[in-house]
Amino acid sequence: MRELSYREALREAMAEEMERDERVFLMGEEVGHYNGAYKVSEGLLDRFGERRVVDTPIAETGFAGVGIGAAMVGLRPIIEFMTWNFSLCAFDQLVNNAAKLRYMSGGQITLPIVFRGPGGAAHQLAAQHSQVVENLYAYVPGLKVIAPATPHDAKGLLKSAIRDDNPVVFIESEVLYGRKGPVPEEDYVIPLGKGDVKREGKDVTLVAWSKMLQVAQDAATELAKNGIEAEIIDPRTIRPLDEELILKSVRKTNRCVIIEEGWPFAGAGAEVAYRVTSKAFDYLDAPVRRVTGEDVPMPYAKNLEHLVLPNVEKVVAAVRQVLYRS
Amino acid sequence: MDRDVMLLLYRDMTRIRRFEEEAARCYTRGKIGGFLHLYNGEEAVAVGSILAVEPTDYILATYREHAHYLVRVGDMNAAMAELFGKATGCSKGRGGSMHFFDVSKRFMGGHAIVGGHIPIAAGIAFASKYRGDQDITLCFFGEGTANMGAFHEGMALAALWKLPVVFICENNMYSMGTPLYRTLAVGDVAVRARGYPMAQEIVNGDDVLEVREAVRRAAKRARTENLPILIEAKTYRFRGHSMSDPAKYRTKEEVEEWLKRDPIRLLADRIYDLGIASEAQLKAIDDEAKHDVAEAVKFAEESPTPAPETLFDDIYAEEQPVPDVEKVVALPRRASAGA
Ligand SMILES: Cc1ncc(C[n+]2csc(CCOP(=O)(O)OP(=O)(O)O)c2C)c(N)n1
């Protein structure tokens, strides 16, 4: 199968959906003439023109709200945040409007809109530019939250998100844009809410999404050297969560370690741990463990940044604990 | 014009230019991480403004704030060490290029969310008025910021409550890759002041003396009458938005046209014309700047990285005994800084 980068896969998803459906348009800072701050939308302006690839001023509340208004009356906007850090300026629009308009109107309003852009920590960008927001958005009923880890998943999930009739928060990973992987030529979608088994194993279940999948995979390779076979589950969609897939794996391995980049307090991993503990308690041979980012704003200094993020050693240590092999 | 002032302006602008040129080299060599936004070409704005006010007045800037820090605080070593992510940096290696702070010198940061610091500047000015201090606040930002909600809300409150704050728009014609005319429905950012309403002035941001005069007037008014103002300084950044931006969206001719109006060059010519200093004297100032920059790099190289056990320091304030009410009410009052 041909290989595409994560960035190219996302671009192809948007281009194909814009081709299919005239109502789909892309809007955001630098998406057009500059070809995207991270070049995800490169070439789309040339292909679809200014009517459908719309550059905005720096006005997050404004253009997020414009997208919501347009979606209320039948367009299907893709709103790009240059990075998800800046979406916090538009948090009110996403939480109080996008998530709730359907419910508040007694189901009269349909809001087919995708908010997308890069998220997560990047190299030494410091506290205001390096943070995980999926937990914030996953908290809100009315939103769907997706965080793909591979080019294949990125394309299939973004196409589904664009076709979905709900507001979708689609969080890409800034450091995965250049990562390559197999992507089919033919049209395909991945249903929202369906996780994926990224590696089969029998000794422990690792749950990881977005760029933490790579950490989980590297840890699994390391563990395999000592005869420990980890199974890796990528839920891909944080909300709705593919609970069944996770539970099925835990019922097989009897142990679970969750790896997430974000802060530990009230994180999505806590929700996963709660569900595993309450619904597969009888199968567990050890308490569920979480490996998370440290509970601190992201420091700039490289050595400190390194301490904050989950890594292979931390995952291996957590797995040893649930196997009582420390 | 005072000879010493002219030379001081020249010295500060030169120091900024040399510091940033070296920072760019260190960035290319991988010594500095994250984003690095340089201020080359805009030096007259920070220098003219900050040297026009009292050292007790507050300064806030964006992620493009090395210059403002160097004019106000002047500690090149702490600045370079911060870029290198060292414990000796002005934010102890926590902030990096976009988050320089020195609260002891009333340099209130380096803020990286566009528009986020504008209401904060109004808040600092609010506190000055609340306490009856004479201090004012200078708040710098780019023209691309003028569409943010936080910009409008901060300005609206500053005007409504008559807060002593001078908003200084550094209009360098581009917000990232987008030229002004594609982001702004009005020709000048300054006109936005009308609706709040607030006084406004447009200055040539390449002319350090013009900037200085305008800010002196504005500062005096803010200090004596508590009136905010929006000053728009028209200028140009010589390099891309950050080190990762090759700035292909501008023509070579356009950049060359602006390079002719290099604010440092303009001031040097003025200094020669007035016979204030010779070429050799200005060169000596430049050499000193280069020397200090080299020392700063050495200092940064040799400084320790932040100790791992300090990772969780400074998330919350230290626990302190609850002060009694009398001490809370008796807020410190400082003597007037004078106008
Ligand atoms: C809320 C927010 N949106 C987007 C960004 C990304 N960004 C950083 S600087 C910048 C351009 C700012 O332009 P301007 O205000 O003119 O200041 P300049 O960089 O020209 O000094 C953008 C879009 C950000 N930091 N914060």
Side-chain angles (χ1 to χ4, degrees), chain B residues 125-193:
Chain B
F126 179 92
S128 297
K129 188 175 173 186
Y130 183 90
R131 287 204 282 241
D133 290 344
Q134 296 299 303
D135 310 318
I136 64 164
T137 298
L138 298 193
C139 177
F140 296 88
F141 54 90
E143 82 291 345
T145 310
N147 297 301
M148 283 298 280
F151 170 91
H152 296 287
E153 296 182 28
M155 297 270 170
L157 296 180
L160 178 67
W161 292 326
K162 299 196 173 12
L163 304 176
V165 51
V166 179
F167 294 107
I168 301 173
C169 175
E170 308 175 299
N171 183 350
N172 60 20
M173 310 291 167
Y174 288 87
S175 51
M176 266 190 83
T178 310
L180 187 63
Y181 69 88
R182 285 208 287 110
T183 62
L184 216 58
V186 289
D188 302 306
V189 173
V191 306
R192 287 265 157 102

Side-chain angles (χ1 to χ4, degrees), chain A residues 30 33-34 37-38 55-60 82 85-86 89 123-129 174 294-304 307-308, chain B residues 32-35 82-85 93-96 98-99 111-114 144 147-148 175-178 182-183 245 249 305-308 311-312 315:
Chain A
E30 312 284 354
H33 292 270
Y34 194 71
Y38 291 84
D55 277 321
T56 70
I58 313 167
E60 275 77 7
M82 188 179 290
N85 299 286
F86 317 140
C89 298
H123 306 294
Q124 283 194 270
L125 294 184
Q128 291 184 329
H129 272 64
E174 188 162 336
E294 298 292 347
D295 202 13
V296 58
M298 185 61 80
Y300 165 76
K302 200 185 216 163
N303 68 319
L304 296 185
L307 294 176
V308 170
Chain B
I32 296 171
F35 291 145
E82 189 58 39
L83 296 181
F84 277 55
R94 304 299 195 272
M98 301 192 283
H99 310 291
H111 301 264
I113 301 299
V114 166
N147 297 301
M148 283 298 280
S175 51
M176 266 190 83
T178 310
R182 285 208 287 110
T183 62
D245 170 24
Y249 42 84
T305 50
L311 177 62
F312 297 98
I315 300 175

Side-chain angles (χ1 to χ4, degrees), chain B:
Chain B
M1 174 55 61
D2 187 330
R3 172 178 187 277
D4 291 344
V5 171
M6 297 276 273
L7 291 180
L8 187 64
L9 296 169
Y10 184 81
R11 174 178 170 272
D12 272 5
M13 284 163 69
T14 310
R15 283 169 68 81
I16 295 162
R17 179 72 59 86
R18 294 303 184 198
F19 177 89
E20 294 210 297
E21 285 169 351
E22 183 58 31
R25 281 190 286 271
C26 292
Y27 188 85
T28 316
R29 282 164 44 218
K31 296 277 176 190
I32 296 171
F35 291 145
L36 189 69
H37 308 88
L38 301 180
Y39 198 66
N40 301 29
E42 305 183 42
E43 292 91 344
V45 184
V47 173
S49 306
I50 296 172
L51 290 184
V53 301
E54 301 291 329
T56 43
D57 291 332
Y58 294 94
I59 312 290
L60 287 92
T62 66
Y63 42 84
R64 201 184 294 285
E65 88 289 27
H66 307 153
H68 313 77
Y69 173 90
L70 289 174
V71 186
R72 167 48 69 84
V73 184
D75 189 343
M76 260 194 197
N77 287 359
M80 195 62 88
E82 189 58 39
L83 296 181
F84 277 55
K86 297 300 182 76
T88 50
C90 55
S91 301
K92 295 192 211 157
R94 304 299 195 272
S97 169
M98 301 192 283
H99 310 291
F100 282 12
F101 283 85
D102 189 336
V103 172
S104 74
K105 298 276 165 57
R106 304 213 159 170
F107 185 76
M108 309 307 281
H111 301 264
I113 301 299
V114 166
H117 65 308
I118 291 181
I120 297 177
I124 290 174
F126 179 92
S128 297
K129 188 175 173 186
Y130 183 90
R131 287 204 282 241
D133 290 344
Q134 296 299 303
D135 310 318
I136 64 164
T137 298
L138 298 193
C139 177
F140 296 88
F141 54 90
E143 82 291 345
T145 310
N147 297 301
M148 283 298 280
F151 170 91
H152 296 287
E153 296 182 28
M155 297 270 170
L157 296 180
L160 178 67
W161 292 326
K162 299 196 173 12
L163 304 176
V165 51
V166 179
F167 294 107
I168 301 173
C169 175
E170 308 175 299
N171 183 350
N172 60 20
M173 310 291 167
Y174 288 87
S175 51
M176 266 190 83
T178 310
L180 187 63
Y181 69 88
R182 285 208 287 110
T183 62
L184 216 58
V186 289
D188 302 306
V189 173
V191 306
R192 287 265 157 102
R194 283 189 200 142
Y196 301 123
M198 191 186 291
Q200 45 161 310
E201 184 165 350
I202 296 175
V203 297
N204 175 1
D206 295 326
D207 183 339
V208 67
L209 300 175
E210 190 177 326
V211 173
R212 186 163 176 274
E213 273 319 302
V215 174
R216 266 159 75 103
R217 279 194 304 275
K220 188 161 178 217
R221 236 173 107 252
R223 209 182 303 284
T224 53
E225 298 170 58
N226 278 325
L227 286 180
I229 183 171
L230 172 56
I231 294 177
E232 177 178 4
K234 308 266 193 198
T235 180
Y236 196 77
R237 67 167 149 71
F238 293 162
R239 309 183 63 126
H241 170 67
S242 72
M243 287 294 286
S244 54
D245 170 24
K248 289 200 194 116
Y249 42 84
R250 322 189 285 197
T251 61
K252 224 173 106 213
E253 292 73 36
E254 177 184 309
V255 179
E256 270 163 14
E257 211 36 57
W258 280 92
L259 279 169
K260 286 186 202 147
R261 297 174 49 182
D262 183 333
I264 300 184
R265 196 68 250 151
L266 291 182
L267 182 62
D269 289 345
R270 198 93 132 252
I271 287 174
Y272 299 147
D273 287 350
L274 294 172
I276 288 173
S278 67
E279 219 162 313
Q281 281 167 308
L282 292 195
K283 181 164 182 305
I285 291 175
D286 192 27
D287 287 345
E288 195 187 323
K290 284 191 205 156
H291 171 263
D292 290 353
V293 171
E295 288 293 311
V297 170
K298 194 157 163 268
F299 174 82
E301 295 264 18
E302 288 169 0
S303 288
T305 50
E309 59 273 20
T310 64
L311 177 62
F312 297 98
D313 289 1
D314 302 322
I315 300 175
Y316 296 102
E318 306 266 311
E319 291 250 5
Q320 275 166 358
V322 182
D324 54 44
V325 175
E326 270 173 31
K327 282 192 193 134
V328 176
V329 173
L331 287 164
R333 257 170 172 282
R334 284 174 313 94
S336 151

Side-chain angles (χ1 to χ4, degrees), chain A residues 29 42 45 57 59 74 76 84 136 178 198 205 236 257 292 300 307:
Chain A
E29 288 157 20
E42 190 159 34
L45 174 67
R76 305 184 75 87
W84 274 98
L136 300 179
K198 296 290 187 205
T205 299
R236 302 193 290 206
V257 173
T292 69
Y300 165 76
L307 294 176

Side-chain angles (χ1 to χ4, degrees), chain A:
Chain A
M1 201 184 293
R2 70 181 176 149
E3 299 245 315
L4 285 188
S5 70
Y6 187 88
R7 171 188 285 116
E8 289 162 340
L10 291 163
R11 183 186 305 146
E12 224 179 58
M14 287 195 283
E16 287 175 13
E17 293 309 302
M18 288 174 77
E19 204 68 71
R20 264 187 81 238
D21 186 342
E22 246 266 312
R23 296 168 302 173
V24 178
F25 68 96
L26 174 66
M27 176 180 270
E29 288 157 20
E30 312 284 354
V31 296
H33 292 270
Y34 194 71
N35 278 310
Y38 291 84
K39 303 293 168 232
V40 176
S41 57
E42 190 159 34
L44 294 186
L45 174 67
D46 285 348
R47 194 156 153 200
F48 295 100
E50 288 192 349
R51 179 167 153 265
R52 300 186 66 197
V53 179
V54 185
D55 277 321
T56 70
I58 313 167
E60 275 77 7
T61 312
F63 65 76
V66 167
I68 293 169
M72 279 171 82
V73 292
L75 297 187
R76 305 184 75 87
I78 306 170
I79 302 295
E80 176 173 311
F81 289 118
M82 188 179 290
T83 76
W84 274 98
N85 299 286
F86 317 140
S87 78
L88 301 184
C89 298
F91 198 59
D92 174 61
Q93 286 296 335
L94 270 77
V95 175
N96 276 324
N97 291 336
K100 299 173 185 167
L101 280 167
R102 182 176 187 82
Y103 190 79
M104 292 189 300
S105 65
Q108 295 177 67
I109 291 169
T110 301
L111 220 61
I113 184 167
V114 178
F115 299 96
R116 50 156 291 275
H123 306 294
Q124 283 194 270
L125 294 184
Q128 291 184 329
H129 272 64
S130 254
Q131 57 197 324
V132 165
V133 298
E134 52 254 32
N135 296 331
L136 300 179
Y137 290 109
Y139 179 65
V140 185
L143 299 179
K144 295 186 179 181
V145 179
I146 302 169
T150 67
H152 172 266
D153 291 357
K155 181 171 177 190
L157 288 164
L158 184 52
K159 286 170 70 90
S160 289
I162 295 167
R163 295 182 199 180
D164 199 282
D165 275 339
N166 295 286
V168 179
V169 165
F170 193 94
I171 302 172
E172 298 149 17
S173 168
E174 188 162 336
V175 300
L176 292 180
Y177 280 140
R179 189 72 57 91
K180 291 206 161 200
V183 176
E185 301 268 2
E186 61 280 6
D187 187 29
Y188 71 98
V189 291
I190 297 173
L192 308 188
K194 282 224 88 49
D196 190 30
V197 181
K198 296 290 187 205
R199 186 186 204 275
E200 307 255 3
K202 59 178 177 28
D203 298 322
V204 59
T205 299
L206 304 181
V207 180
W209 59 90
S210 191
K211 78 171 182 255
M212 289 301 113
L213 177 64
Q214 187 63 49
V215 176
Q217 281 169 334
D218 293 348
T221 308
E222 196 58 36
L223 290 162
K225 291 181 194 157
N226 292 306
I228 300 166
E229 290 305 326
E231 175 146 300
I232 301 177
I233 306 292
D234 177 358
R236 302 193 290 206
T237 306
I238 313 302
R239 183 197 266 261
L241 186 68
D242 192 346
E243 184 181 289
E244 262 324 300
L245 188 71
I246 298 169
L247 294 178
K248 191 168 149 225
S249 174
V250 172
R251 287 187 188 118
K252 179 171 87 177
T253 65
N254 314 114
R255 298 162 207 273
C256 181
V257 173
I258 301 148
I259 305 149
E260 58 182 322
E261 190 184 323
W263 293 307
F265 196 94
E271 177 68 23
V272 176
Y274 164 73
R275 295 201 193 185
V276 169
T277 312
S278 60
K279 296 185 182 166
F281 185 73
D282 293 343
Y283 294 87
L284 284 173
D285 287 339
V288 177
R289 293 203 71 86
R290 294 165 69 205
V291 178
T292 69
E294 298 292 347
D295 202 13
V296 58
M298 185 61 80
Y300 165 76
K302 200 185 216 163
N303 68 319
L304 296 185
E305 183 183 65
H306 178 76
L307 294 176
V308 170
L309 295 170
N311 58 28
V312 170
E313 298 83 72
K314 291 180 192 176
V315 176
V316 168
V319 168
R320 289 189 164 279
Q321 269 178 319
V322 300
L323 285 159
Y324 303 109
R325 289 216 212 156
S326 48

